[in-house]
């Protein structure tokens, strides 16, 4: 088997099992109260990390580029209580415009 | 469970700020709500699917393998990581480790959302495969809970977008230009930021967000891809000792 197919199949098998693990093995079951209380913090910590890695991550660690200005514009839109679609459009348009300059 | 989360509404008004959903009704249908919330990011997702198809086919992954990868792995960042490691002449092991590390967060998400899933084993299996960052993020109800129907609807939009776009990238090539040209790479952090703001309410949640973001930022310059996000996800375990 070629290297490509090994990567595709192994990564696929891992990812499928990661995603299925909870719903298959723990579905409908209440987690222990302490763990459930800890998982309340997963969305804040993971979303914050995704904001950081998606706006600053690059090939070699940190890469500051037009994305950051786009995300800044999105932050202003969020602060002004713009709907989600507008927030996303503002981010993309601002980034595209900065790249044109 | 958060004390204010006592309501059984599928989408409680508490979870999402009014600005994010213009519904007058307190009971918006979950599936339709999922379509509505994912619509703004579906085009960005599709454009990156095209980009993945182009990158993968030009870095020697062939035509069929990238499409199979999108259909099975269905997780953008890990697929890009694997393809670029192979493109740079990296080993199979390096490509696998990078992609698996990037997707390790899905294990945490999967366990955290497990109690929202029900029905037959087959149904739970297939619905669980629709878990991706974006579908999970838009399904947040606050207090660590998600609306499964929003997640499933959003995932059912993203999946054909992603797989179809990959095929388009593989076969159609560079007709459309890079997604970066249209600023679409900024669409994802903007989405995550908007959803972050809508789920962070209590002091504990604010602290977790700051800790997760700071840890990711600190690790980003030198840790391998995936590690900053997994480390930030692990921050939630401090919640075992704080209430």
């Amino acid at each position: 088997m070629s290297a490509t197919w090994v990567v595709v199949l192994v990564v696929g098998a891992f990812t499928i099992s990661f995603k299925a693990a909870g719903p298959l093995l723990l579905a409908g079951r209440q987690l222990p109260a302490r763990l459930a209380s800890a998982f309340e913090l997963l969305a804040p910590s993971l979303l914050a990390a995704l904001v950081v890695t998606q706006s600053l991550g690059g090939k070699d660690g940190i890469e500051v580029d037009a994305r950051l200005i786009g995300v800044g514009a999105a932050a202003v839109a969020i602060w002004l209580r713009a709907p989600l679609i507008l927030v996303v459009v503002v981010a993309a348009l601002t980034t595209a415009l900065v790249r044109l300059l | 469970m958060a004390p204010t989360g006592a309501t059984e509404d599928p989408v409680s008004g508490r979870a999402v700020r009014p600005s994010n959903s213009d519904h007058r009704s307190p009971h918006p249908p979950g599936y339709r709500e999922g379509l509505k919330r994912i619509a703004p990011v579906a085009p960005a997702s599709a454009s990156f699917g095209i980009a993945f198809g182009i990158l993968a086919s030009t870095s020697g992954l062939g035509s069929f393998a990238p499409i199979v990868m999108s259909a099975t792995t269905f997780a953008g960042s890990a697929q890009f990581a694997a393809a670029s490691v192979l493109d740079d002449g990296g080993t199979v092991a390096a490509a696998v480790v990078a992609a698996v590390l990037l997707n390790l967060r899905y294990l945490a998400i999967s366990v955290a959302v497990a109690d929202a899933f029900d029905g037959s084993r087959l149904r739970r299996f297939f619905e669980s495969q629709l878990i991706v960052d974006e579908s999970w993020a838009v399904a947040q109800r606050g207090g660590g809970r998600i609306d499964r129907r929003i997640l499933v609807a959003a995932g059912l939009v993203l999946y054909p977008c992603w797989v179809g776009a990959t095929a388009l990238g593989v076969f159609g090539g560079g007709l459309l230009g890079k997604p970066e040209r249209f600023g679409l790479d900024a669409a994802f952090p903007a989405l995550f930021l908007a959803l972050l703001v809508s789920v962070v309410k209590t002091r504990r949640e604010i602290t977790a967000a700051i800790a997760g973001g700071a840890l990711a930022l600190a690790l980003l310059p030198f840790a391998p891809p995936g590690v900053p996000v997994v480390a930030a996800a692990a921050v939630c375990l401090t919640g075992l000792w704080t209430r």
Side-chain angles (χ1 to χ4, degrees):
Chain A
M1 205 177 348
S2 74
T4 299
W5 281 103
V6 174
V7 171
V8 168
L9 296 179
V10 174
V11 171
F14 267 104
T15 310
I16 289 170
S17 7
F18 287 161
K19 289 182 180 181
L24 268 192
L25 306 175
L26 305 165
R29 217 178 291 173
Q30 290 285 333
L31 292 171
R34 278 172 80 99
L35 198 57
S37 155
F39 275 139
E40 282 176 20
L41 303 180
L42 181 64
S45 61
L46 190 48
L47 284 171
L50 287 170
V51 171
V52 168
T53 54
Q54 300 266 336
S55 37
L56 290 168
K59 241 185 154 178
D60 305 298
I62 290 185
E63 228 171 85
V64 177
D65 61 22
R67 270 178 306 174
L68 202 55
I69 300 170
V71 175
V76 174
I78 293 165
W79 184 63
L80 293 172
R81 304 190 157 253
L84 194 55
I85 181 141
L86 196 59
V87 171
V88 171
V89 169
V90 162
L93 268 184
T94 309
T95 307
L97 283 176
V98 172
R99 286 201 177 122
L100 271 182
L101 297 177
Chain B
M1 190 63 245
T4 43
T7 165
E8 286 304 308
D9 284 359
V11 182
S12 67
R14 197 180 92 76
V16 173
R17 297 184 322 162
S19 60
N20 282 345
S21 73
D22 304 320
H23 283 284
R24 298 281 176 268
S25 156
H27 302 285
Y31 292 114
R32 198 179 304 166
E33 183 64 20
L35 298 183
K36 202 181 143 191
R37 290 194 196 171
I38 206 64
V41 278
S45 191
S47 74
F48 276 91
I50 295 175
F52 172 72
I54 296 172
L55 171 75
S57 58
T58 54
S59 54
L61 271 73
S63 306
F64 194 41
I67 301 170
V68 171
M69 191 176 206
S70 283
T72 51
T73 297
F74 185 37
S77 52
Q79 293 180 224
F80 273 108
S84 53
V85 168
L86 291 178
D87 190 30
D88 295 343
T91 62
V92 168
V96 167
V97 168
V100 168
L101 266 179
L102 273 163
N103 281 346
L104 200 53
R105 69 186 179 285
Y106 287 125
L107 188 59
I109 291 179
S110 153
V111 170
V113 302
D115 80 325
F117 285 76
D118 52 23
S120 70
R121 199 171 292 168
L122 202 64
R123 179 175 178 171
R124 281 180 275 142
F125 174 76
F126 281 111
E127 287 187 349
S128 74
Q129 297 308 307
L130 299 172
I131 300 174
V132 272
D133 293 328
E134 295 80 7
S135 65
W136 166 78
V138 297
Q140 292 298 318
R141 288 173 52 188
R145 317 225 349 143
I146 62 133
D147 185 313
R148 181 190 53 84
R149 293 179 304 167
I150 293 181
L151 185 149
V152 166
L156 284 175
V157 170
L158 293 172
Y159 188 83
C161 274
W162 182 248
V163 180
T166 303
L168 210 61
V170 166
F171 296 112
L175 295 173
L176 288 137
K178 288 180 132 188
E180 283 83 358
R181 213 180 119 204
F182 306 102
L184 290 167
D185 49 339
F188 298 104
L191 170 79
F192 295 132
L193 183 62
L195 294 163
L196 173 65
V197 170
S198 75
V199 296
V200 170
K201 293 274 190 292
T202 64
R203 244 186 78 194
R204 219 172 145 242
E205 289 165 342
I206 295 170
T207 313
I210 294 172
L215 189 57
L217 185 61
L219 292 174
L220 197 54
F222 53 87
V227 170
V229 171
V230 171
V235 162
C236 81
L237 294 177
T238 60
L240 290 171
W241 298 279
T242 62
R243 281 242 165 181

